[in-house]
Structures are given as structure tokens and as C-alpha cells.
Amino acid sequence: MAFLVLLLIFLITSPSLFVTHSHSQLSLDYYDKSCPPFSQIVQETIINKQINTPTTAAATLRLFFHDCLLNGCDASILISSTPFNSAERDADINLSLPGDAFDVVVRAKIALELACPSTVSCADILAVTTRDLISMVGGPYYNVLLGRKDGRVSEASHVEGKLPRPTMSVSEIIKLFASNGFSIQETVALCGAHTIGFSHCKEFSSGIYNYSEYSQYNPRFARELQKACAEYQKNPTLSVFNDIMTPNKFDNMYFQNLPKGLGLLRSDHGLYSDSRTRPFVEMYAADQNNFFEAFGKAMEKLSLHKVKKGTQGEIRRRCDAFN
């Protein structure tokens, strides 16, 4: 009995135990007291960046996918390589990640470090920046719980086979997302991210010249792609918008394009031709609100994928290097 009384007194007089526990949980108001200007600083940063560089939203969304699908949403994709370690961002599939996505997160981090030193994780910045940029270009607003910690591991050797490639079949894409806990419907909704952004010609060039794949394209669209990508071997930076109709607006036009043969990548065509995914393509093409609701829920789920909490990670002083 005496032991229980002493234990109770110890717990009451040791608030640090409760602080540690509460900070190991994610919440919408995580920074309300520790960094009140958090939301405002992120908003100001993304508005300035998106206005000056309109491709930032799509770039950041892709960066977020590449971060979360590997080791969870822990900002490990932001780490720079050193002479002793080749980091995730230098894996082959990540070399084409646009610099503007890294830049917007770094800008927000610098501003937040000045306002609230060693308080806001890079993982939280990337998650919120992605959501706010999607909303800024017309997409759905969804909840992002906060309190993630930054991961302490980032290795290029861990990347292969963990991220979707544009040449993958639908079966491969379904399997990859299923291994991360996503249903077929959630997978199709997340593929709707291709309603913004662009793809380099090298990622789909074989299809526009290969007869068996050429038939998947609207003939006029294929001819225009051949013209646009004619010099891609000399200029590997040549690219085409994923959604040629409303390329800078987050909407359901991507799904409307697929039945018309206006999908850009092999993976896009597969979503409409496969009986497992086609019903969801048709559903989202017919109802944008339905797509937005499904996409928002899937993004909420993705943003919580394998997050590090409490002592599982750290709050980096700068996003490109471990403390």
C-alpha cells in the first residue's frame, strides 16, 4: 500500500512523464502552443512559391508519395547523400524529383526555425505543405494530424521496388499499394494525383512508337506526343503534362481523359482497361466530389503511414541532414 502511495505521489509530481506521452501522439493542434505561427508560416511560404513556380504543387505531391511509400512519412527523402551514405533522393527513380518541391520545404523550415527553433519536424512540414498546395490548386482540403518525427535512416539501396514506376502494369501497382495497406479503390483515387504535374518523354516514349501500346492512345494525341517528344533523346528534360486538358488544376479531368485515350503513361491506360480498376475510374470521372472525398481520405491514410513518434525519430535542425 505504501508503495502505491509513493508511486502516485511520484507520478503527480513528475509532469515530464505526461508531456512525453502526450507528445508521442499525433493531433491537429500539436503546435498550437509550441509554435502558434506554424500554419501561417507554411501558408505564406507556399503561396509565394506556387505563384512564382506553378509546378510546385505537383512536384511536392510527388515528393510526398516518394517519401511515405518507402519508410513511412518521415522526411527521409529530404536527406542529402554524404561520402559515407548514398541517400534515398539519389536512387535512380528519385533523380527526377523536381527541385522546387525540396525548395518549398526548406524555405518553410528556415522560417519555422527562426520562429520556433527545434520544434517543427520536416516530416510535418512536408505533409502540411502537400495538403495546402493541393487545396491551393483546386483540390480537396483534408485533415493532417501533426507530431511526426523525422527519420534517422535514408539509404538509396532501400528504394528499388518500393515505389510505382510509370511502366508498371496495373497488377504491379495494385500489389505495391496493397503491400502498404491500400485497397484497389484507394489506389485508383491516389492515382488521380496525375491530374496535375508532368512526365518526362522517356517515361512513355516507347508507347507512342510501339504499335501494340500505340493503340491505347487517341491517334491524334499519339501523333502530337511524337512531335512533342521528337528530340527527347538529345534533350532528356522534354516533358508533357499528365492532364493535357486542365494541367494546372486539381480536378477529375484525369479520369475523364482515360476513356478517350488521353492517358499519358502505361499505368494510366491500365487503370481504364483493367476490370478491377475501371469501375472506380468511371465513378470518379462522373463525380468530382466523389473523387475528392476518396482522395482526401486516402491522403489522410497515407500521411499516417509508418510515421515516427516520440523517441522513434528526431526533429532535424535542417531538413537535408541528420542532427
Side-chain angles (χ1 to χ4, degrees):
M1 185 65 181
F3 172 75
L4 292 175
V5 171
L6 288 172
L7 178 60
L8 180 60
I9 292 172
F10 175 74
L11 290 174
I12 292 174
T13 57
S14 302
S16 61
L17 290 180
F18 294 98
V19 172
T20 300
H21 174 73
S22 65
H23 277 241
S24 69
Q25 306 304 312
L26 302 185
S27 65
L28 292 173
D29 59 356
Y30 190 85
Y31 295 113
D32 281 7
K33 293 182 179 179
S34 61
C35 190
F38 169 71
S39 295
Q40 181 182 350
I41 288 174
V42 170
Q43 276 290 316
E44 290 175 353
T45 303
I46 69 162
I47 288 172
N48 291 331
K49 181 65 179 179
Q50 179 66 20
I51 289 175
N52 290 319
T53 314
T55 57
T56 300
T60 307
L61 177 54
R62 186 174 174 222
L63 183 69
F64 181 70
F65 268 95
H66 282 229
D67 182 48
C68 293
L69 286 176
L70 186 58
N71 295 319
C73 305
D74 64 354
S76 54
I77 189 67
L78 303 177
I79 293 293
S80 294
S81 293
T82 68
F84 310 101
N85 178 60
S86 180
E88 289 173 28
R89 66 192 293 176
D90 286 325
D92 174 62
I93 193 172
N94 287 331
L95 293 176
S96 61
L97 288 172
D100 289 312
F102 293 92
D103 181 58
V104 72
V105 176
V106 168
R107 290 188 187 195
K109 177 63 172 176
I110 291 172
L112 285 164
E113 281 298 302
L114 292 172
C116 318
S118 301
T119 302
V120 181
S121 69
C122 299
D124 275 348
I125 294 172
L126 178 55
V128 172
T129 298
T130 301
R131 188 271 312 278
D132 289 355
L133 281 165
I134 289 171
S135 181
M136 186 177 174
V137 295
Y141 184 93
Y142 53 90
N143 289 328
V144 174
L145 297 176
L146 302 170
R148 295 165 189 75
K149 293 298 174 65
D150 298 321
R152 297 191 179 97
V153 176
S154 180
E155 297 185 18
S157 60
H158 294 172
V159 176
E160 185 59 37
K162 303 292 180 60
L163 298 174
R165 289 185 177 273
T167 55
M168 279 185 170
S169 66
V170 169
S171 291
E172 290 172 319
I173 291 174
I174 289 174
K175 182 178 180 181
L176 188 151
F177 277 92
S179 69
N180 288 287
F182 291 91
S183 67
I184 292 177
Q185 182 171 1
E186 290 170 330
T187 299
V188 176
L190 290 173
C191 287
H194 278 178
T195 189
I196 54 176
F198 59 86
S199 296
H200 291 97
C201 290
K202 65 179 181 180
E203 295 175 339
F204 58 86
S205 58
S206 62
I208 57 177
Y209 297 106
N210 183 307
Y211 180 77
S212 61
E213 290 187 51
Y214 181 93
S215 62
Q216 301 289 323
Y217 290 91
N218 176 295
R220 182 181 174 186
F221 182 45
R223 289 194 295 271
E224 292 302 319
L225 290 177
Q226 289 175 353
K227 293 177 184 177
C229 295
E231 301 293 322
Y232 86 93
Q233 290 181 320
K234 296 179 182 178
N235 181 7
T237 64
L238 285 177
S239 57
V240 176
F241 286 118
N242 293 322
D243 168 14
I244 61 168
M245 305 304 287
T246 55
N248 295 314
K249 182 181 179 182
F250 197 101
D251 54 21
N252 69 335
M253 187 60 70
Y254 165 78
F255 294 108
Q256 294 183 45
N257 288 339
L258 297 185
K260 302 172 185 176
L262 299 177
L264 190 62
L265 306 173
R266 180 190 181 193
S267 55
D268 298 329
H269 300 148
L271 289 180
Y272 187 67
S273 60
D274 193 289
S275 60
R276 294 167 294 179
T277 52
R278 183 170 181 166
F280 301 118
V281 170
E282 293 175 333
M283 180 192 305
Y284 298 146
D287 189 339
Q288 180 167 284
N289 289 332
N290 198 328
F291 165 50
F292 276 17
E293 181 180 0
F295 183 82
K297 288 180 178 178
M299 286 295 286
E300 282 186 40
K301 181 174 178 177
L302 178 61
S303 73
L304 298 173
H305 185 54
K306 296 181 181 178
V307 297
K308 279 58 173 187
K309 296 181 289 185
T311 59
Q312 295 173 337
E314 63 184 11
I315 296 176
R316 292 183 210 139
R317 288 183 289 272
R318 49 184 291 171
C319 290
D320 63 348
F322 302 121
N323 290 342

